[in-house]
Amino acid sequence: MQMIDDYPDLFDPNLYAEGMVKDHGGCYKPPNYVDIVESAKDKNLKIFPDDKQKFFEFVLKEQEVRLNPKIQQLYIQMNHLGSVEDMVHSELFKYFGYDDIALNHQIYYALTRKYSKHPDINSKIFFWRNNVMHGSRVSLNEEPPLINLLTLDSQPTTLQTLMQQAHEEQKLCVIFGGKSLGDYIAFAQKFKQECKCYFIYIKEAHFVERSPDGTIVDGWPIGYYDYEFPQHKSQEDRQKMALMFKDKYNLPDEFPVLQDVYPNNLLDETFGMWPDNMRCYQIGWLKRQITQQIFGRTHGQIQILKKHYKIKFYRLKLLNMKFKGQKLMLLN
């Protein structure tokens, strides 16, 4: 596999709505409905139409299916969010009379980009309203805005202060956010001589909120009924979760845990930390942005880091990779 010095464009399908153009985060614009349909060689396929009402009916049914206890259990058993949702989409295509083909799966995401902000439906769909994936809004080597943070004991600091501290120790400043925490901890331990690593607690991605009768009324549940928490409603809520996080993962004090500041969530809103993002900085500039889509622990990020990443002072040689099934594929 080819080692690269500078990143090609990173693909983030959540960054662009229909009609938007390339702007931030080093991403490219994904195909729209017309692009996808025109690529079909077989013109006799039962293709999902670009019909707002039919799509709204589809996603409302999808939400109903996702909340079914059997599907919630699948999230736990398969440990792969995307696979469960692909299965749900496949069944719904057949339910509504369309072909279960890759083309319709592509169309689903194109229509999601087009309609997910529509006021008639956005408020009714949990997983649209609460989607925290949006990509970085700061480009490579663009100076980030002033970003305020809080320590675990609520003392104020800034991203720029963390960058300065790392600079004084002749290290890269590395910020972790996302869910592959075991891999990030291993990374921080392995490269602590070269990197000054921080864990920043951001807003909850898969929170769950219920009515008094137990009905799910908000959130993005993925089956973990014994680990349900509401979205943060205050800085105190976030601090409580950050303390729980530090205790649960037994994080050593040499890797500080900080908090994104409620309610603006400026770190996450600026750099798009979820689902599996690691941002590396040098003084004054965003140095690198790394987007990983790697699931599980046995084939986790740290194994790839050990094999492929070479870290030097103020420099990372990195592969831009995406995990597909059981293979690592380079994104061209």
Side-chain angles (χ1 to χ4, degrees):
M1 286 191 279
Q2 179 186 4
M3 187 70 72
I4 57 177
D5 292 331
D6 296 313
Y7 282 100
D9 287 351
L10 298 179
F11 174 58
D12 183 352
N14 297 285
L15 186 59
Y16 295 101
E18 195 76 13
M20 292 179 65
V21 297
K22 180 175 177 177
D23 186 12
H24 299 295
C27 304
Y28 66 84
K29 183 180 178 181
N32 60 26
Y33 182 89
V34 173
D35 296 333
I36 296 168
V37 171
E38 288 181 348
S39 71
K41 296 180 180 179
D42 185 347
K43 302 304 179 183
N44 296 315
L45 297 171
K46 296 177 182 177
I47 294 176
F48 202 108
D50 184 0
D51 183 299
K52 182 177 68 174
Q53 293 306 318
K54 289 183 178 180
F55 188 59
F56 288 180
E57 182 182 358
F58 186 97
V59 293
L60 284 168
K61 186 67 175 179
E62 178 186 356
Q63 178 162 273
E64 177 186 331
V65 173
R66 284 199 194 192
L67 296 179
N68 183 288
K70 292 182 179 179
I71 299 299
Q72 288 290 301
Q73 186 62 32
L74 271 181
Y75 280 118
I76 300 174
Q77 292 172 352
M78 298 183 70
N79 192 32
H80 192 311
L81 193 72
S83 295
V84 175
E85 288 161 10
D86 285 345
M87 290 171 58
V88 170
H89 297 159
S90 292
E91 293 303 312
L92 288 176
F93 287 139
K94 292 180 282 189
Y95 176 85
F96 283 99
Y98 307 112
D99 288 333
D100 178 21
I101 52 176
L103 195 76
N104 275 333
H105 286 265
Q106 289 180 291
I107 286 173
Y108 169 89
Y109 289 108
L111 294 180
T112 296
R113 290 189 291 271
K114 182 174 182 178
Y115 293 120
S116 62
K117 302 298 184 184
H118 197 288
D120 289 350
I121 193 68
N122 178 268
S123 62
K124 300 177 183 178
I125 303 298
F126 300 160
F127 57 90
W128 281 0
R129 186 170 65 251
N130 300 309
N131 187 351
V132 296
M133 297 189 295
H134 54 69
S136 177
R137 296 187 169 103
V138 174
S139 299
L140 189 67
N141 293 328
E142 179 184 349
E143 187 170 1
L146 179 66
I147 295 178
N148 293 309
L149 301 166
L150 291 171
T151 65
L152 272 185
D153 57 358
S154 298
Q155 296 302 306
T157 187
T158 65
L159 173 63
Q160 284 73 11
T161 299
L162 304 185
M163 293 161 64
Q164 180 65 39
Q165 291 171 349
H167 175 72
E168 291 171 358
E169 296 180 29
Q170 296 190 341
K171 295 180 179 181
L172 282 169
C173 177
V174 179
I175 301 295
F176 296 118
K179 58 187 176 60
S180 296
L181 297 172
D183 299 327
Y184 290 149
I185 293 168
F187 174 92
Q189 291 172 332
K190 178 176 177 60
F191 297 116
K192 61 184 178 182
Q193 298 304 314
E194 296 89 354
C195 300
K196 194 169 183 65
C197 297
Y198 299 89
F199 295 81
I200 312 294
Y201 206 96
I202 59 178
K203 59 188 175 184
E204 302 293 338
H206 293 289
F207 70 97
V208 178
E209 296 180 0
R210 296 178 181 268
S211 65
D213 65 2
T215 302
I216 296 174
V217 295
D218 203 1
W220 192 332
I222 51 172
Y224 292 93
Y225 296 125
D226 295 332
Y227 193 76
E228 284 189 7
F229 297 96
Q231 187 57 274
H232 313 147
K233 303 296 193 301
S234 66
Q235 194 69 52
E236 290 73 21
D237 289 346
R238 181 163 298 165
Q239 181 186 35
K240 178 181 177 181
M241 293 302 298
L243 288 166
M244 185 185 302
F245 160 78
K246 178 177 171 60
D247 181 65
K248 176 179 173 62
Y249 288 95
N250 298 309
L251 290 178
D253 291 336
E254 63 181 318
F255 306 128
V257 178
L258 295 97
Q259 310 170 64
D260 205 1
V261 176
Y262 179 90
N264 293 329
N265 305 307
L266 189 56
L267 180 86
D268 187 37
E269 290 299 319
T270 301
F271 295 109
M273 302 303 294
W274 187 265
D276 281 303
N277 287 330
M278 179 173 78
R279 307 297 188 193
C280 302
Y281 309 86
Q282 74 177 74
I283 188 67
W285 301 95
L286 171 64
K287 182 63 177 175
R288 292 288 185 264
Q289 56 181 2
I290 308 166
T291 300
Q292 298 283 13
Q293 299 288 339
I294 297 173
F295 303 90
R297 294 293 177 266
T298 58
H299 195 77
Q301 287 172 308
I302 191 59
Q303 299 303 319
I304 297 157
L305 289 166
K306 285 179 179 179
K307 185 175 181 180
H308 296 294
Y309 290 12
K310 296 179 180 179
I311 293 190
K312 298 180 180 179
F313 175 55
Y314 284 167
R315 178 177 179 153
L316 295 178
K317 283 190 173 183
L318 301 163
L319 286 172
N320 181 25
M321 296 176 292
K322 185 175 182 180
F323 187 68
K324 293 185 176 181
Q326 296 299 317
K327 297 180 181 179
L328 277 171
M329 307 292 291
L330 277 175
L331 292 181
N332 297 320

